[in-house]
Amino acid sequence: YSSQDENVYAYTWYAYCEGQPERILVSRGDWPSAQCSLMDLEGNTVGGAYPELSALSWKDGQGRYMVADFDVVEVDYGGETMQDADYDTYTYGIIDQDGNTILETKYTMINCLSADRYWVSDGNTYQLVDENGNVIYEAE
């Protein structure tokens, strides 16, 4: 669903899942200042709002979502000043479908390897972590 008049966008998408998603991803406003959140099937907002939100995986009948945060800066594009994301400030985290934090929004990179294993980086250190943030393997 997309409503250009209200700058509200709603969508669902999962890389793999074991059932029907129970959440809709909703984005209000234009990027990079948009506020993205989860909505249940009753139309209620679930959890907080983030600059970016995407469906990631499915575990035990519940969705997992990657969230991103970043600074918004003014950039000159050929004499026109526009807002853009400061790509050097991006950080990522993981939440569940109830908006609970699984992995804090502090990583410079997250790759989902399975429904409960993530390859993460905080800059110079790379780690294989489980859904509880326990480090399984670490490399620099």
Side-chain angles (χ1 to χ4, degrees):
Y1 168 78
S2 173
S3 171
Q4 295 297 329
D5 295 335
E6 300 174 24
N7 293 330
V8 176
Y9 307 90
Y11 54 96
T12 60
W13 184 86
Y14 293 81
Y16 57 92
C17 64
E18 302 165 353
Q20 290 297 319
E22 294 184 11
R23 298 293 184 257
I24 300 167
L25 288 77
V26 177
S27 175
R28 292 178 175 86
D30 291 326
W31 190 87
S33 299
Q35 291 294 298
C36 305
S37 58
L38 296 173
M39 179 184 292
D40 68 18
L41 300 181
E42 303 298 319
N44 301 306
T45 299
V46 178
Y50 303 90
E52 288 185 9
L53 174 67
S54 58
L56 188 62
S57 65
W58 194 262
K59 182 180 177 198
D60 300 329
Q62 290 200 0
R64 300 291 187 257
Y65 304 86
M66 185 170 353
V67 298
D69 194 12
F70 52 84
D71 293 336
V72 176
V73 294
E74 298 286 329
V75 179
D76 181 30
Y77 288 107
E80 185 177 349
T81 302
M82 300 175 67
Q83 288 189 331
D84 200 356
D86 181 350
Y87 295 96
D88 293 332
T89 66
Y90 259 83
T91 54
Y92 301 92
I94 307 290
I95 62 171
D96 68 14
Q97 72 181 34
D98 296 324
N100 299 312
T101 299
I102 292 175
L103 294 178
E104 291 180 51
T105 309
K106 67 177 187 176
Y107 299 100
T108 56
M109 181 269 306
I110 295 180
N111 284 324
C112 178
L113 303 176
S114 70
D116 62 353
R117 295 288 188 269
Y118 304 95
W119 186 247
V120 301
S121 172
D122 66 0
N124 295 325
T125 303
Y126 294 85
Q127 298 174 325
L128 174 63
V129 298
D130 67 13
E131 208 170 56
N132 296 317
N134 298 315
V135 177
I136 299 166
Y137 177 79
E138 183 171 286
E140 288 191 30

